[in-house]
Amino acid sequence: MGKGYNAAIASNPYIVGSFACIGGGLFGLDMSSMSGVLNNPAYATVFQNPGSNAQGGIVAAMPAGSLVGALMVTYLGDKIGRKKTVIVSGMIWVVGSILQCAAIDRGMLCVGRVISGIAVGLASAVVPLYQSEVTAPAIRGRLVSFQQWSITWGIMLQYFVEFGCSYINGTASFRIPWGLQMIPAIILSLGMMFFPESPRWLIDHDREEEALEILADLHGGGNQDDELVQLEFEEIKQQVRFERTEGAKSYMDLLKPGILRRVGLGCSMQMWSQLTGMNVMMYYIIYVFEGAGLTGRRANLIADSVQYVLNVVFTIPAIIYIDRWGRRPMLIIGTLLMGFFLFLVGGLQARFGHWGESDSARIWVVTGNQPATNAIIVCSYLFVSSFAITVGPVSWTYPAEIFPMRVRSKAVSIATATNWLFNFALAWAVPPGLSTIAWKTYFIFGTFNFAACIHFFFMFPETAQRTLEEVEDIFAQGHTYSAWAISRDVGKKTVQDIRNAEKARDYNDEKEGSIEKSA
């Protein structure tokens, strides 16, 4: 540990690339920490039977904090480094979990959720950034996809803990699960001490020897002369050198030609990932299945758990094949399927549902029609599975790999903040929406999916299996509105290509210097 990290751990790309994903798991824990208690009598009693607007506010408190946390990464990610920012996020999460566990009223619960949200915002922005900067291009998409998989695991595990605790009478039925949320965060903060810092961040802070040593441990078995190690080291140095001549780090960098386009793509990617309606299915699945006519608290909890298991299982193929399938096909096919299944849910609800009451609340519900109830549940399962195998993993991978080093931390945090902004708005708006416009809510989200599909087709270029520096050549091609025209071979380089380019630039610099002196 004299290096500040464990070299044996660094040499395993899957360990070093996936451990930080526990930070993504915190997001999943928080999502199902609410969905699992929405029909819990003890929760309703302690927090005074929150109505649709109040419940939306409680749920939205977490993404509100996450918005702040994601923006904080613009400073912390550059100032103290990627690794330390992940450690800080775990510490903040512990504080938020303690407050939630001890909450005695809505105000205290919301404060705890806001603090936990700050931790989630930090982790959700910095973890994909860290992963993209420590993993080899051939498996980068796969490892960044672990961020989404860890979210699905967090959702499922927390839900099953709450399911089990639902058999406990009294407030322990929700306080125990909320308290147990601290354990993964403690493991994350302590475990990250054994992991290396991002070599790209080190080079950007003039610590090249440390960066080369880490790259060698990460990708060359400790051999600093390994071809891949030298390729990455030369590319990163060249890119950092180039970007330093373009101007100082500031938010104005995000408005520069070529950068603004990518900021738009990164923010749009995160926006569409929320507007697909997936998190609605995660936060409020109990309401969805109640509206489908699924009666009985236990039956609803069991049906919900199936959805969470599917979410975990169907993310696995995406993790394995994301770099082979490519980002574009997954985005386009995924949004088409999700839009289709949401329109089916909305249509079935419209045809067979009517206004009714559940726990004194007005809801649109299907009653006395088991085939329609089953069809709605199956379509919901297919929707979740479609997201898990396509858009879910890509939504974290794509924004982490399209930005230049000089603006990457700020740009990724802005993109992630967009995720939380829309998450906040939808978390608050959906319960009132389901209680007023009912089945039309599904048509709205279905339409969003089809709009996203069109956007992905025309404007999102493929970035699979490129180094972060080679991505620059992709965007240099142009094709702003015809992304399909960019070849998958654009940007491919060898070590010799990099060195020749560097020699040519040095020669030109020397020549310009000689001309200036003679003048």
Side-chain angles (χ1 to χ4, degrees), residues 280-422:
V280 174
M281 290 294 190
M282 295 292 103
Y283 282 131
Y284 301 117
I285 188 60
I286 285 178
Y287 293 164
V288 173
F289 284 175
E290 280 182 352
L294 191 63
T295 59
R297 182 182 172 203
R298 295 289 179 261
N300 200 319
L301 288 172
I302 292 171
D304 299 346
S305 67
V306 173
Q307 178 148 297
Y308 294 133
V309 171
L310 290 173
N311 195 21
V312 171
V313 171
F314 277 89
T315 303
I316 296 174
I319 292 172
I320 297 172
Y321 295 111
I322 184 172
D323 290 305
R324 183 183 304 176
W325 291 344
R327 318 317 187 217
R328 277 175 53 81
M330 294 174 71
L331 292 172
I332 294 168
I333 294 171
T335 46
L336 277 175
L337 289 174
M338 288 187 289
F340 174 70
F341 291 128
L342 284 177
F343 265 79
L344 283 179
V345 170
L348 289 166
Q349 286 271 16
R351 174 65 179 84
F352 300 107
H354 58 84
W355 286 111
E357 283 195 0
S358 175
D359 296 327
S360 301
R362 182 170 178 259
I363 66 168
W364 184 272
V365 62
V366 175
T367 56
N369 193 325
Q370 194 60 42
T373 296
N374 293 339
I376 292 171
I377 292 173
V378 169
C379 286
S380 299
Y381 288 162
L382 292 172
F383 167 84
V384 169
S385 299
S386 299
F387 179 90
I389 202 170
T390 57
V391 176
V394 179
S395 67
W396 295 107
T397 303
Y398 201 84
E401 63 188 6
I402 61 175
F403 299 113
M405 175 68 199
R406 202 62 181 167
V407 300
R408 184 168 295 132
S409 180
K410 286 181 172 59
V412 169
S413 70
I414 291 294
T416 307
T418 303
N419 178 302
W420 294 114
L421 177 63
F422 280 85

Side-chain angles (χ1 to χ4, degrees), residues 2 35 38 54 68 108 119 161 194 221 230-231 244 270 288 341 365 368 401 439 449 451 454 486 495:
S35 65
L38 292 180
V68 175
M108 187 173 177
V161 170
F194 296 90
Q230 286 296 317
L231 172 62
R244 281 178 174 173
Q270 294 286 20
V288 173
F341 291 128
V365 62
E401 63 188 6
W439 51 270
N449 276 284
I454 295 171
I486 300 176
V495 175

Side-chain angles (χ1 to χ4, degrees), residues 36-71:
V37 301
L38 292 180
N39 59 1
N40 186 324
Y43 168 83
T45 300
V46 171
F47 300 105
Q48 303 170 342
N49 296 295
S52 60
N53 188 57
Q55 186 57 56
I58 292 171
V59 173
M62 190 276 290
S66 298
L67 174 61
V68 175
L71 292 173

Side-chain angles (χ1 to χ4, degrees), residues 77 174 207 210 353 434 468 476 479:
F174 63 85
R207 294 161 63 178
E210 294 175 62
L434 290 174
L468 296 177
H479 295 293

